[in-house]
Amino acid sequence: DAATRVGKMHEIRIHGRGGQGAVLAGGILATAFVQAGKHVVAVPSFGFERRGAPVASFLRVDEAPIRQMTNIYRPDCILCIDPTVGRAVNVFDGITEGAVLVQATARPLAELTIPERITCVGVCDAVQLALAIFGRPITNTIMLGAFARTTGLVSLDALRFAVEHSSFRDAGLRQNLEALLVVGSADDLDDEVEIGCLVHELEPIVGAVGEQMLQPGPALADAVENGLCASAIGDVGWRQVDHQKP
C-alpha cells in the first residue's frame, strides 16, 4: 500500500531527457515537500544538459532532519518523465525491495517489463497530455501530479504551492497548473469515470508479471481550459503489482 511508505526516509530518482524539465521537477518536488513540513536534500543532477540527452536528478526526503549527504544509489521511488529514456539508461539501477515506479508511457502495464523489486506502478500518457496543453512534449508537471497520486508522499496542494512559487509566469504558470491538475486532482473515482469529455472504463489487468489491479484512474480537471478530450488522455492511475504467478 502506498500509504505505508509515508513516515520513513525516501530516496527519489527522477529520470528524463534534456529539455523536459527533470531537474526543474526535482526542484518543484523539493519545494512541495518543504511546504508540507518535511526535510529535503536535493542531490546534484547527473547527465548532459543538451536537449534529448538522458538526465537524472535526486531527492532525499524525511520527516526528521537529514544528515546523510551522500549520493543516492538505492532509490525506493523512481519517477520517469520520458517514455523512452529507459532505452538509453537503466532506470531500475539500484532500486530497493518494494520500490515504486511512476512512468510516463502510452503502453498498458501488461506490456511493460517490471522488475520484481517494484511493487507499485503508476502510469500516465504524459506526452499526449503535454502536447494537448503545451503543444510540446514537456512532461514534468504532469508527472509530478502522477507521482502525488501514485505515492501519496506529497499533496496536490503542496505541489500547487511549489508551482506557483517557481519561475513560471503568466501563461506558462497557468499551463503548468493545468498540467498538474489534469492528473493530480481526481480522487476517489468510481470504476466508470466521467469528467469533462472523458469517459473511460476501468477493469483489472492481468499481464506477464501477474495480476495488477487498476485503481481509480484517468481524469480531467474542470479547471483545464484547453478542452482536452478522450483522445488526449492515456491510462492514468496506480496499480499494486503482484509478481506471483497467477
Side-chain angles (χ1 to χ4, degrees):
D1 189 335
T4 63
R5 287 182 286 273
V6 178
K8 55 168 284 202
M9 186 171 75
H10 297 279
E11 295 187 326
I12 303 164
R13 187 168 68 214
I14 303 173
H15 288 279
R17 293 184 182 275
Q20 290 179 323
V23 175
L24 178 59
I28 291 173
L29 188 55
T31 301
F33 279 130
V34 171
Q35 171 66 13
K38 298 182 180 181
H39 299 266
V40 182
V41 171
V43 179
S45 61
F46 295 92
F48 297 102
E49 292 295 331
R50 71 174 184 271
R51 185 172 297 275
V55 175
S57 61
F58 306 81
L59 290 177
R60 187 175 282 121
V61 58
D62 200 347
E63 303 285 351
I66 301 172
R67 293 179 174 81
Q68 187 176 350
M69 299 296 170
T70 59
N71 289 336
I72 292 174
Y73 302 106
R74 301 278 292 164
D76 64 319
C77 294
I78 300 294
L79 172 57
C80 193
I81 70 172
D82 178 80
T84 65
V85 71
R87 302 173 189 170
V89 297
N90 180 11
V91 299
F92 302 117
D93 184 42
I95 57 172
T96 60
E97 192 71 39
V100 180
L101 169 67
V102 186
Q103 175 70 53
T105 181
R107 298 169 61 191
L109 182 61
E111 295 182 6
L112 302 179
T113 301
I114 309 295
E116 290 192 1
R117 289 180 177 270
I118 299 284
T119 58
C120 183
V121 178
V123 293
C124 176
D125 189 358
V127 171
Q128 196 70 338
L129 288 169
L131 291 174
I133 295 172
F134 303 110
R136 295 180 294 167
I138 302 175
T139 58
N140 53 356
T141 46
I142 294 170
M143 290 307 296
L144 287 176
F147 178 87
R149 289 196 61 194
T150 302
T151 67
L153 295 177
V154 66
S155 70
L156 185 62
D157 284 342
L159 281 171
R160 188 203 302 262
F161 174 90
V163 170
E164 289 174 344
H165 289 78
S166 69
S167 59
F168 299 126
R169 294 291 181 271
D170 302 325
L173 174 60
R174 177 182 58 80
Q175 287 178 319
N176 277 277
L177 287 172
E178 290 173 355
L180 180 65
L181 288 170
V182 74
V183 175
S185 64
D187 295 315
D188 301 322
L189 303 179
D190 295 327
D191 283 346
E192 182 173 306
V193 179
E194 183 172 355
I195 297 182
C197 61
L198 173 65
V199 178
H200 188 81
E201 295 286 333
L202 303 182
E203 59 185 10
I205 297 176
V206 179
V209 297
E211 181 177 354
Q212 303 92 35
M213 296 300 296
L214 178 59
Q215 296 293 333
L220 283 180
D222 291 338
V224 177
E225 300 173 4
N226 290 66
L228 300 179
C229 61
S231 62
I233 300 295
D235 195 15
V236 182
W238 72 267
R239 302 157 169 89
Q240 202 72 24
V241 181
D242 181 3
H243 291 280
Q244 298 299 318
K245 295 296 183 182

